[in-house]
């Protein structure tokens, strides 16, 4: 949450900062600001979106050769111009700081610095960093040392960029628990929260590690290790060529990133499964070189995740139990980390995360390790993320950058990966004879095409959207492996259209929620033609008999009669094992089109941000 950009070059860097902020807006979008070193530190800040900041920059014709910038998702202090970054300390040396993350000991530090005479102008934890660095600068001969000293006094997870009025020729950045990378350009050096922010300027990236601190000048840079406030020797971090293309982060012909990402799903899944689609057999090596050994000892799985990724885990539980015969528990990471669960050394812990940055998932994964789980695996969409770095095994979903705040292609690629994992484990446990393995591979091979044809139902879904947009509540029903898909459908609808939506396992209806059903409560049902269909149909009758209006997503061969109160959209095919993946598509489209009718900000729903890097 929150996006940082820094730039120092031989050219006016304001366009780079603004471009970077636009790319990082998915990380937070309630206020934005920048500081440029040009006749002192020039600061511009706005409440609201980066576009507001851009207007201000244009009005004031701001330009300069060095600067830091920020787009915010408020944690401490309301979203307002006063709380927007950069924050300054002006008492002695004038410095400016941008920050992503949370400083946990900010209250105590604030008091200490107030006692030293520093005056606070905002409610943020970030301002503590600015004053602390200024305070330590009194005793240091360089900003680098003052920053090293300061970060040793701060508790929490953060990435920061700092600039000093009296030394406009350098920027200092530091990382501890929040992402930060350097971009090495031909005419300058840059820093950002993620590579997408710098792609228009450079593809040469240096990913900083936790505990790294770096100094950027226009023509050189240096990275140092920093432990307990002591600045270590300069270290060599490898330079990576980013293979992201700017297409991946441009809207192209689409109106919204969510729409683009929904329609990218066939390609995203094909990329994720690339190694498998041409293979005759699926091997454990797909999950890392140690996977075969670890999987051979695996007696069960514990899946930890949040939000949409948690729903992917819930689907996987059905597969793992049914196909691989392995016990599987799925837990919301923020709950798991504060329980006292009983660990089993050979229960493999699987963290699922699009961003690989979700604070609760990271903490839950570490906690599981301390409890005695021997091995862990990440299923993640970001190669350089903290989650990928901290796990023994990993599988990268290759969905490409997901920018819309509501997760879509990350979910379906997670499901495809989890089906692969299930297949590998089943095979190693002799639960999957070769002909069955061949049929799973064939199904996976067909998945991109099946997704493509499922997307064709968009116009039919769109027809329903007007009616939904007039409602205040909706109920989503599913059974078995499709119950988590109903949960995902409800989450999508509520987060982007602000319609209250709840998902129930349809067998639970008569245990309470049926009381809510009337003509004002649309009931969405996922009705694949599987062994639970007859049970589901009885549940739907219960709704119908009470005047509820049903919106059913069925398979091509599901026998369900349409009527005034029962509307049915049929998916092009009956997908068997892949059914939950295909049934996700109409629910994403429904949420998207309802949000369009309601005129909400589809890609940046209120109060949310893409990567939830705080607790
Ligand atoms: C919903 C959504 C969130 C995320 C959740 C976990 O559309 O995107 O619920 O799924 O915040 O994020 P990751 O997967 O990055 O750990």
């Amino acid at each position: 949450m929150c996006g940082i950009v820094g730039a120092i070059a031989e050219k006016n860097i304001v366009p780079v900062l603004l471009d970077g902020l636009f790319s990082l807006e998915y990380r937070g979008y309630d206020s934005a600001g920048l500081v440029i070193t040009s006749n002192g530190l020039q600061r511009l800040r706005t409440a609201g979106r980066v576009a507001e900041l851009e207007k201000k920059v244009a009005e004031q014709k701001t330009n300069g050769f060095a600067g830091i910038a920020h787009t915010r998702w408020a944690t401490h202090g309301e979203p307002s111009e006063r709380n927007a970054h950069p924050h300054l300390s002006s008492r002695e040396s004038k410095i400016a700081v941008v920050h992503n993350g949370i400083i946990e000991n900010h209250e105590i530090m604030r008091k200490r610095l107030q006692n030293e005479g520093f005056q606070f102008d905002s409610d943020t934890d970030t301002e503590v960093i600015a004053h602390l660095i200024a305070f330590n600068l009194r005793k240091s001969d360089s900003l680098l040392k003052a920053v090293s000293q300061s970060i040793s006094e701060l508790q929490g997870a953060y990435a920061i960029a700092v600039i000093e009025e009296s030394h406009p020729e350098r920027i200092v950045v530091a990382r501890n628990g929040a992402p930060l990378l350097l971009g090495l350009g031909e005419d300058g050096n840059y820093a950002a929260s993620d590579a997408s922010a710098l792609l228009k300027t450079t593809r040469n990236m240096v990913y900083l590690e936790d505990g790294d601190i770096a100094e950027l000048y226009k023509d050189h840079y240096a990275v140092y290790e920093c432990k307990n406030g002591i600045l270590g020797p300069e270290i060599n971090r490898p330079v990576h060529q980013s293979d992201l293309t700017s297409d991946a982060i441009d809207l192209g012909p689409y109106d919204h990133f969510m729409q683009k990402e929904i329609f990218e799903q066939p390609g995203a899944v094909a990329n994720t499964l690339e190694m498998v689609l041409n293979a005759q057999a699926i091997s454990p090596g797909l999950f890392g070189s140690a996977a075969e050994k670890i999987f051979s000892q695996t007696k069960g799985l514990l899946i930890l995740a949040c939000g949409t990724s948690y729903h992917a885990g819930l689907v996987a539980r059905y597969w793992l139990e049914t196909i691989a015969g392995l016990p599987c528990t799925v837990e919301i990471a923020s709950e798991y980390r504060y329980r006292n669960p009983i660990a089993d050394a050979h229960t493999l812990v699987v963290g699922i995360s699009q961003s690989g940055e979700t604070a609760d998932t990271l903490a839950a994964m570490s906690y599981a390790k301390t409890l005695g789980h021997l091995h862990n695996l990440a299923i993640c969409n970001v190669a350089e993320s903290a989650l990928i770095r901290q796990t023994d095994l990993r599988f990268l979903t290759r969905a490409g950058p997901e920018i819309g705040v509501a997760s879509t292609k990350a979910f379906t690629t997670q499901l495809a990966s989890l089906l692969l994992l299930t297949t590998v484990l089943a095979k190693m446990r002799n639960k999957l004879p070769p002909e069955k393995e061949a049929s799973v591979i064939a199904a996976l091979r067909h998945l991109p095409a099946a997704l493509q044809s499922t997307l064709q139902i968009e116009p039919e879904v769109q027809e329903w959207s007007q009616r939904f947009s007039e409602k205040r509540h909706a109920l989503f029903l599913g059974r078995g492996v499709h119950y988590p898909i109903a949960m995902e459908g409800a989450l999508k609808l509520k987060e982007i259209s602000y319609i209250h939506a709840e998902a129930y396992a349809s067998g639970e209806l008569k245990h309470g929620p049926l009381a809510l059903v009337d003509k004002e409560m649309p009931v969405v049902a996922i009705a694949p033609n599987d062994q639970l269909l007859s049970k589901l149909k009885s549940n739907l009758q219960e709704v119908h008999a009470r005047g509820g209006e049903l919106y059913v997503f069925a398979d091509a061969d599901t026998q369900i009669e349409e009527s005034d109160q029962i509307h049915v959209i049929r998916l092009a095919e009956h997908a068997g094992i892949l059914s939950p993946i295909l049934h996700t598509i109409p629910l994403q489209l429904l949420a998207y089109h309802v949000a369009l009718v309601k005129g909400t900000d589809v890609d940046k729903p209120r109060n949310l941000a893409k990567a939830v890097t705080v607790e």
Side-chain angles (χ1 to χ4, degrees):
M1 296 175 132
C2 301
I4 292 179
V5 197
I8 183 155
E10 277 171 15
K11 62 181 183 192
N12 172 23
I13 46 70
V14 172
V16 179
L17 295 182
L18 286 174
D19 267 353
L21 289 188
F22 277 117
S23 310
L24 293 177
E25 233 183 346
Y26 72 90
R27 302 179 64 87
Y29 37 82
D30 57 42
S31 52
L34 51 78
V35 153
I36 302 299
T37 55
S38 165
N39 297 324
L41 297 184
Q42 308 297 326
R43 178 168 68 168
L44 291 185
R45 297 183 296 171
T46 52
R49 301 287 166 89
V50 175
E52 298 302 313
L53 182 69
E54 190 184 35
K55 277 188 215 148
K56 230 176 186 174
V57 164
E59 274 160 28
Q60 310 210 3
K61 300 191 173 56
T62 310
N63 64 71
F65 297 105
I68 55 177
H70 188 264
T71 176
R72 178 169 186 247
W73 188 85
T75 56
H76 297 75
E78 55 167 17
S80 63
E81 185 172 329
R82 181 173 156 269
N83 287 328
H85 301 207
H87 288 285
L88 301 180
S89 185
S90 322
R91 224 181 74 177
E92 284 143 43
S93 8
K94 193 165 180 179
I95 60 158
V97 173
V98 289
H99 159 226
N100 165 27
I102 284 193
I103 303 303
E104 286 166 8
N105 57 342
H106 72 100
E107 279 169 344
I108 214 163
M109 297 302 283
R110 180 181 275 253
K111 286 205 184 92
R112 202 184 114 192
L113 289 158
Q114 279 167 335
N115 290 340
E116 294 290 341
F118 287 91
Q119 199 188 318
F120 281 75
D121 297 324
S122 77
D123 307 317
T124 63
D125 51 345
T126 307
E127 200 180 346
V128 161
I129 311 176
H131 293 313
L132 184 61
I133 295 171
F135 177 68
N136 285 322
L137 206 47
R138 287 180 189 168
K139 301 170 278 178
S140 306
D141 54 7
S142 79
L143 182 62
L144 192 66
K145 286 189 191 150
V147 173
S148 319
Q149 173 58 37
S150 303
I151 56 184
S152 73
E153 297 173 51
L154 298 173
Q155 286 160 15
Y158 50 80
I160 57 172
V162 190
I163 199 159
E164 187 186 6
E165 186 172 69
S166 55
H167 286 281
E169 73 287 358
R170 71 165 172 232
I171 297 174
V172 173
V173 299
R175 170 194 162 128
N176 185 29
L180 193 64
L181 53 83
L182 309 183
L184 314 179
E186 278 173 11
D187 50 5
N189 288 313
Y190 305 86
S193 301
D194 85 32
S196 68
L198 300 178
L199 275 188
K200 288 188 184 152
T201 308
T202 178
R203 312 187 81 75
N204 298 326
M205 311 285 176
V206 174
Y207 292 92
L208 298 182
E209 302 276 343
D210 284 343
D212 284 359
I213 178 164
E215 239 180 349
L216 302 182
Y217 294 84
K218 68 177 185 209
D219 49 6
H220 66 283
Y221 74 98
V223 183
Y224 304 88
E225 236 169 13
C226 176
K227 278 203 186 110
N228 308 324
I230 313 284
L231 195 62
E234 188 175 338
I235 44 174
N236 200 3
R237 294 270 175 244
V239 180
H240 294 266
Q241 276 275 324
S242 172
D243 55 9
L244 270 184
T245 62
S246 50
D247 287 0
I249 53 164
D250 282 345
L251 256 184
Y254 295 96
D255 295 325
H256 299 99
F257 281 106
M258 183 180 181
Q259 181 194 25
K260 178 180 184 232
E261 287 155 11
I262 289 174
F263 282 88
E264 277 175 349
Q265 288 177 106
V269 166
N271 282 342
T272 300
L273 297 176
E274 198 185 9
M275 271 101 75
V276 178
L277 296 186
N278 298 321
Q280 298 310 313
I282 299 175
S283 78
L286 291 169
F287 295 85
S289 52
E292 185 155 12
K293 184 155 175 254
I294 293 174
F295 288 170
S296 67
Q297 298 163 0
T298 296
K299 302 224 163 22
L301 290 97
L302 165 65
I303 298 182
L304 300 171
C306 302
T308 289
S309 299
Y310 167 69
H311 297 157
L314 291 176
V315 172
R317 181 175 65 187
Y318 288 86
W319 287 335
L320 285 158
E321 288 172 352
T322 313
I323 305 170
L326 278 165
C328 175
T329 319
V330 189
E331 284 228 34
I332 294 173
S334 56
E335 285 296 310
Y336 176 84
R337 64 184 287 195
Y338 293 113
R339 289 199 304 112
N340 292 313
I342 312 303
D344 173 81
H346 295 294
T347 293
L348 177 69
V349 183
V350 181
I352 309 175
S353 174
Q354 186 286 128
S355 61
E357 267 188 55
T358 303
D360 284 320
T361 306
L362 293 173
M365 294 293 286
S366 308
Y367 181 48
K369 198 129 234 188
T370 64
L371 292 178
H373 288 275
L374 283 179
H375 299 295
N376 56 18
L377 158 71
I379 294 191
C380 183
N381 198 38
V382 180
E384 294 296 332
S385 63
L387 185 65
I388 289 279
R389 287 161 196 233
Q390 76 175 48
T391 46
D392 310 320
L393 304 178
R394 51 199 71 104
F395 187 89
L396 208 57
T397 51
R398 291 162 68 195
E402 191 182 63
I403 294 176
V405 164
S407 191
T408 52
K409 60 179 180 171
F411 181 65
T412 42
T413 53
Q414 285 166 354
L415 290 180
S417 317
L418 288 160
L419 187 54
L420 269 187
L421 175 66
T422 306
T423 312
V424 168
L425 289 166
K427 197 171 146 184
M428 290 184 70
R429 294 167 54 75
N430 295 324
K431 301 269 178 193
L432 198 71
E435 64 281 4
K436 274 209 173 149
E437 183 184 4
S439 85
V440 175
I441 295 177
L444 287 172
R445 232 175 245 155
H446 180 57
L447 183 56
L451 284 165
Q452 195 66 51
S453 57
T454 306
L455 285 164
Q456 308 303 315
I457 60 170
E458 184 181 29
E460 291 173 70
V461 178
Q462 192 173 358
E463 269 184 34
W464 286 1
S465 55
Q466 180 67 43
R467 272 178 275 168
F468 272 80
S469 67
E470 291 154 9
K471 306 292 181 193
R472 299 196 52 208
H473 308 274
L475 208 55
F476 283 67
L477 301 179
R479 286 200 83 134
V481 70
H482 295 87
Y483 168 42
I485 300 302
M487 296 168 82
E488 176 57 10
L491 177 61
K492 287 291 89 92
L493 188 69
K494 74 183 111 179
E495 71 183 318
I496 61 166
S497 75
Y498 315 148
I499 293 173
H500 168 230
E502 295 240 33
Y504 270 92
S506 37
E508 272 291 287
L509 255 191
K510 50 183 159 309
H511 299 289
L514 203 50
L516 291 169
V517 169
D518 63 13
K519 61 181 180 13
E520 291 308 315
M521 170 78 91
V523 178
V524 179
I526 299 150
N529 190 6
D530 62 12
Q531 75 278 15
L532 290 174
L533 180 63
S534 59
K535 309 260 178 231
L536 178 83
K537 277 181 169 174
S538 314
N539 304 140
L540 300 189
Q541 282 309 321
E542 292 158 11
V543 173
H544 187 49
R546 281 147 188 94
E549 193 153 2
L550 281 157
Y551 294 83
V552 183
F553 291 108
D555 281 341
D557 52 359
T558 304
Q559 300 294 318
I560 287 192
E561 292 297 316
E562 289 192 55
S563 71
D564 280 357
Q565 297 298 309
I566 306 182
H567 315 281
V568 182
I569 291 179
R570 286 173 206 282
L571 271 59
E573 42 191 310
H574 176 182
I577 194 174
L578 302 176
S579 175
I581 306 183
L582 295 193
H583 272 275
T584 303
I585 304 295
L587 303 179
Q588 296 171 341
L589 289 168
L590 181 67
Y592 175 69
H593 282 288
V594 175
L596 284 193
V597 177
K598 291 199 73 179
T600 58
D601 190 339
V602 172
D603 285 335
K604 300 187 185 82
R606 68 184 178 204
N607 306 337
L608 300 181
K610 185 74 185 157
V612 186
T613 54
V614 295
E615 235 191 292

